[in-house]
Amino acid sequence: MAADVIRIRGLAKTYVMGTNEVHALDGIDLTITQGEMVAVMGASGSGKSTMMNMLGCLDKPTSGSYELDGERVEVMDRNQLADLRNRRIGFVFQGFNLLARTSALENVELPMMYERSRKKDVRDAAMKALARVGLAERTHHLPNELSGGQQQRVAIARALVTEPALLLADEPTGNLDSRTSVEVLALFQELNDNGLTVVMVTHEDNIAHYAKRIVELRDGRIVRDEPVSPRGNAAADLAAIDARRKGNA
Ligand code: ADP
Ligand code: MG
């Protein structure tokens, strides 16, 4: 049996706005085991970002419990949360969030700078992470010398360098064209095939169908939680897109 990476019970997050209460999350039960690939969907305002903030230990719930990789999150203070985050979670954002005048390699080294690792170990880990995302030849390029898809792959390498238990991606293809989106999903599927647990927020069905499971939120509650069938194969779709383009050229 695969271990639970995420165990959430009765999770609620309430925002108080003057005399108004907004139940951004309203009693969530969710278990995600090692090796799953989950797409979190839902209309604007349904609670997706709040959910990602909870999963990512960026914020604490109003009530309920959350265990990440066996550690109880809701009892931790800010420093403990930051430490857990650095050790166990890799983040990928819509806008890549790379440092501009900094090479791909140095961007990927950043998350390890908080640890007291030897410089050579940091460099080796960053090189390995860049190789995993197919960018071993681009280590000294600056972000503006890379395509959008390559920049997102640098960001994914940065997320992987600490060997997290969980990859969290918030609209990872939101700034990418459709071919590059499929390319990024092919990488997620490959990493997932090798055991990485992936949770991504997307509002696009044609991205969500590459996940193994879809969880849909409405008004802070889970209204759908089901396996994806048939599941898309992003590498095959990418090859088909490229073959079609070659045929048209
Ligand atoms: P989504 O990401 O699905 O669009 P959010 O999680 O951002 O949804 O928001 C869920 C609900 O919580 C919305 O009604 C939103 O207005 C409210 N909300 C989110 N963040 C805050 C906040 N910091 N303060 C007050 N209300 C918030
Ligand atoms: Mg949002």
Side-chain angles (χ1 to χ4, degrees):
M1 273 273 297
D4 292 347
V5 175
I6 290 170
R7 252 180 84 90
I8 281 176
R9 293 292 177 272
L11 195 81
K13 180 71 182 181
T14 305
Y15 293 108
V16 180
M17 305 279 285
T19 55
N20 222 350
E21 285 193 346
V22 179
H23 300 282
L25 293 177
D26 196 11
I28 301 276
D29 293 327
L30 181 67
T31 302
I32 296 178
T33 57
Q34 202 261 322
E36 285 204 78
M37 180 164 170
V38 181
V40 176
M41 302 193 76
S44 178
S46 59
K48 303 184 298 296
S49 292
T50 306
M51 174 90 139
M52 290 305 260
N53 289 345
M54 294 298 148
L55 294 181
C57 307
L58 292 160
D59 201 357
K60 299 228 286 186
T62 308
S63 60
S65 64
Y66 173 23
E67 267 178 40
L68 172 65
D69 213 24
E71 299 189 61
R72 276 180 71 192
V73 175
E74 77 278 3
V75 299
M76 292 187 178
D77 66 26
R78 284 193 159 276
N79 289 336
Q80 290 171 315
L81 283 180
D83 179 60
L84 181 67
R85 212 157 53 221
N86 289 339
R87 283 186 292 114
R88 310 311 292 145
I89 302 174
F91 291 94
V92 175
F93 305 96
Q94 179 173 350
F96 320 142
N97 296 15
L98 300 176
L99 293 183
R101 277 182 286 275
T102 308
S103 71
L105 185 62
E106 287 165 327
N107 266 287
V108 175
E109 287 178 347
L110 271 181
M112 294 192 76
M113 291 305 178
Y114 301 101
E115 301 166 23
R116 278 185 231 105
S117 314
R118 286 161 45 212
K119 202 167 164 55
K120 183 178 179 302
D121 294 340
V122 171
R123 183 124 303 183
D124 288 350
M127 292 293 289
K128 202 172 118 201
L130 281 165
R132 263 176 101 183
V133 303
L135 287 178
E137 314 296 314
R138 296 280 188 282
T139 53
H140 295 293
H141 286 59
L142 300 177
N144 67 6
E145 297 168 338
L146 297 169
S147 69
Q150 289 171 333
Q151 289 181 54
Q152 192 58 302
R153 282 194 274 151
V154 172
I156 293 165
R158 181 184 56 190
L160 296 176
V161 75
T162 52
E163 297 184 9
L166 173 65
L167 186 76
L168 277 184
D170 197 353
E171 300 271 3
T173 62
N175 280 359
L176 301 174
D177 62 53
S178 54
R179 182 199 174 278
T180 310
S181 297
V182 177
E183 187 186 299
V184 165
L185 264 295
L187 177 57
F188 280 176
Q189 286 191 328
E190 185 193 325
L191 295 167
N192 177 249
D193 286 344
N194 289 314
L196 183 69
T197 308
V198 178
V199 178
M200 61 175 182
V201 165
T202 181
H203 57 254
E204 294 175 85
D205 288 315
N206 61 345
I207 294 297
H209 91 295
Y210 293 120
K212 289 174 176 163
R213 172 180 172 192
I214 292 180
V215 171
E216 187 178 334
L217 298 176
R218 189 184 302 150
D219 299 331
R221 295 196 178 143
I222 293 176
V223 293
R224 174 163 73 119
D225 183 350
E226 57 194 22
V228 176
S229 178
R231 186 187 184 204
N233 179 329
D237 291 349
L238 187 65
I241 291 169
D242 287 345
R244 207 156 49 228
R245 291 210 175 161
K246 223 169 162 188
N248 291 339

